[in-house]
Amino acid sequence: MKIGEIAVITHNTQTSEDFIKSICKKIDVKNGIVSFGRFDANDQLGLHLYGISLDKEDKNVSWDLISRKMLAYIIFFDWENFSSLETINPILDKFSNNVTAPIIIVANVKDMDQPPIPKSFFINKGIAFSANCRFLFGQAEQPESARKIMVLITNMLLEKVAG
Amino acid sequence: MIYVIHAAFLHKSKIFDPPINRDFQLVRKSIFYFLNGYRGEQLLKKKVFFMYDKNECSLRPAEKVNILWKLFKDEKVGDLVDSFDTRGVIGLQNFLWETAAEFGVICRGKNFSSNEITRKMTSTSKYQEKQGCTERAYYCKGTQCILSNPECARKKIKEQVNIIAESMQEYIRIERNKENF
């Protein structure tokens, strides 16, 4: 079975767990630092989602080792909470230099029916930051929004192959 | 040693404000032209000192998120020009311009033209006249003059950044009206 691993990095545990539950239905394993969820597409293909919360991050986490193995990164912050953006900034900077896998920065909003800007500006491709980094609005606990993020990751991976 | 003398000379002659961490190859290239008798405007034409490469000025993702935060919260994005270093200022202008073009295409489709943004900006000749600048028009690019005359270039970029941001906010308003319609 082929397994793709995706890191879901958030400013708090709740957001990463909400997102993993939106995709995998349940959290399989949970410890102080990491939440883990599994999505099996069929007996040949699976996705493993690792939720890593930065508020509990062990400063000794070897990002340089972890980052090479991941299929993609989803980094959440709370749009209405500027300090959550400041929490993820160092990790964004670290990844922008070391990571070639797709990075999706998601501004988590309370209601995706009323995002800060019209959906047409970000819903399909996100706002491009670079070839492997996009920004969009999303709602961690909403399955439809989570699916859009997964579709965007797939598209970015396909673009990499095609490019 | 020769690099230091060379840089000091150029600095004194006001044609080169030595930036930090310049590419070593660029310095070598500049020395080559300098030793071969190129001076002043000729050096400018060779673009050995005054042009930053676009990729060189790319902002970090964290900075881009901060810009979008300000933009979508209706704050003045132009004020960021004062807080960025030279590369950051060029990166800010590039990022906003690219994103505005993307927004424009989504909003207007095939009818989008970058002219609808640039026509709101002060023309180069008018800007130069206002500043009492006698340089040729093509020097008046934020990305070129930012090193030789940073104050003037920053002022110009700030004005342009505010206009680009206003255009983006206009696209957002138009698109929101479409969604509500």
Side-chain angles (χ1 to χ4, degrees):
Chain A
M1 186 182 197
K2 297 279 184 194
I3 291 169
E5 295 177 305
I6 295 175
V8 183
I9 301 164
T10 57
H11 62 287
N12 64 22
T13 316
Q14 187 62 47
T15 310
S16 59
E17 288 183 2
D18 284 345
F19 182 78
I20 291 171
K21 274 191 256 180
S22 301
I23 301 284
C24 311
K25 308 294 175 213
K26 69 181 177 77
I27 306 284
D28 287 313
V29 181
K30 192 157 91 170
N31 67 29
I33 303 170
V34 178
S35 317
F36 171 73
R38 191 168 21 207
F39 171 80
D40 293 331
N42 54 30
D43 57 355
Q44 293 295 310
L45 180 67
L47 281 179
H48 287 183
L49 275 75
Y50 300 92
I52 302 166
S53 171
L54 295 176
D55 61 348
K56 289 181 182 167
E57 184 205 349
D58 182 342
K59 299 293 174 202
N60 295 322
V61 169
S62 301
W63 285 109
D64 52 338
L65 294 177
I66 297 171
S67 55
R68 283 186 218 151
K69 297 179 74 181
M70 292 293 160
L71 186 69
Y73 294 87
I74 302 166
I75 304 177
F76 272 95
F77 72 96
D78 190 350
W79 182 250
E80 295 304 331
N81 177 3
F82 191 75
S83 65
S84 71
L85 175 56
E86 287 173 329
T87 311
I88 64 153
N89 277 348
I91 217 81
L92 284 179
D93 288 344
K94 201 178 281 185
F95 283 0
S96 65
N97 294 325
N98 304 324
V99 171
T100 53
I103 302 171
I104 315 266
I105 304 166
V106 186
N108 195 34
V109 292
K110 285 187 183 125
D111 182 8
M112 260 310 272
D113 291 332
Q114 288 178 318
I117 59 168
K119 283 183 187 173
S120 50
F121 289 121
F122 61 86
I123 204 73
N124 294 322
K125 291 179 179 174
I127 296 171
F129 279 7
S130 65
N132 71 327
C133 184
R134 308 265 169 95
F135 170 91
L136 78 162
F137 291 95
Q139 193 177 348
E141 70 269 26
Q142 194 196 65
E144 192 194 328
S145 172
R147 272 201 297 274
K148 292 269 182 200
I149 293 167
M150 299 307 284
V151 169
L152 181 57
I153 289 174
T154 312
N155 285 338
M156 285 171 79
L157 287 167
L158 288 172
E159 276 169 24
K160 268 181 83 172
V161 175
Chain B
M1 183 64 183
I2 193 165
Y3 298 128
V4 177
I5 296 167
H6 180 62
F9 172 81
L10 291 172
H11 186 59
K12 203 178 168 196
S13 62
K14 306 257 184 227
I15 61 166
F16 174 49
D17 182 14
I20 302 161
N21 297 327
R22 288 318 309 261
D23 183 26
F24 184 68
Q25 290 294 329
L26 205 62
V27 177
R28 281 179 58 186
K29 195 175 160 192
S30 73
I31 286 170
F32 171 80
Y33 284 118
F34 187 76
L35 294 177
N36 280 287
Y38 287 86
R39 298 288 184 275
E41 284 195 0
Q42 290 171 310
L43 280 173
L44 268 173
K45 280 178 194 166
K46 288 288 171 194
K47 294 178 178 176
V48 287
F49 298 118
F50 298 84
M51 285 289 280
Y52 271 114
D53 180 60
K54 199 177 172 188
N55 294 329
E56 207 180 358
C57 297
S58 186
L59 296 176
R60 290 176 284 119
E63 290 170 322
K64 290 180 179 176
V65 179
N66 276 313
I67 293 167
L68 293 185
W69 170 282
K70 274 193 177 280
L71 186 72
F72 299 151
K73 295 268 179 190
D74 280 338
E75 289 183 24
K76 279 258 176 193
V77 181
D79 294 345
L80 286 170
V81 169
D82 301 326
S83 61
F84 278 124
D85 64 4
T86 304
R87 279 165 201 254
V89 170
I90 299 167
L92 167 68
Q93 190 188 29
N94 289 340
F95 172 62
L96 275 183
W97 185 246
E98 284 162 9
T99 313
E102 250 183 69
F103 277 29
V105 169
I106 290 167
C107 182
R108 301 243 193 254
K110 285 180 184 168
N111 295 326
F112 171 72
S113 160
S114 58
N115 283 343
E116 64 185 70
I117 301 175
T118 52
R119 71 167 174 236
K120 294 177 198 162
M121 297 173 181
T122 311
S123 70
T124 300
S125 56
K126 271 189 189 162
Y127 184 78
Q128 282 188 308
E129 197 185 318
K130 226 162 97 182
Q131 300 303 315
C133 175
T134 53
E135 292 287 358
R136 290 178 191 174
Y138 68 85
Y139 295 161
C140 190
K141 278 186 179 173
T143 48
Q144 291 196 23
C145 263
I146 192 89
L147 293 173
S148 55
N149 197 352
E151 205 177 310
C152 182
R154 275 174 180 268
K155 197 173 160 188
K156 186 182 180 189
I157 291 176
K158 193 172 186 172
E159 188 192 304
Q160 291 187 347
V161 158
N162 279 331
I163 287 168
I164 297 169
E166 278 166 24
S167 302
M168 288 172 78
Q169 272 149 359
E170 192 187 322
Y171 294 141
I172 291 170
R173 274 195 298 274
I174 293 169
E175 206 60 19
R176 193 163 276 149
N177 286 340
K178 278 189 211 166
E179 281 188 0
N180 293 337
F181 185 68

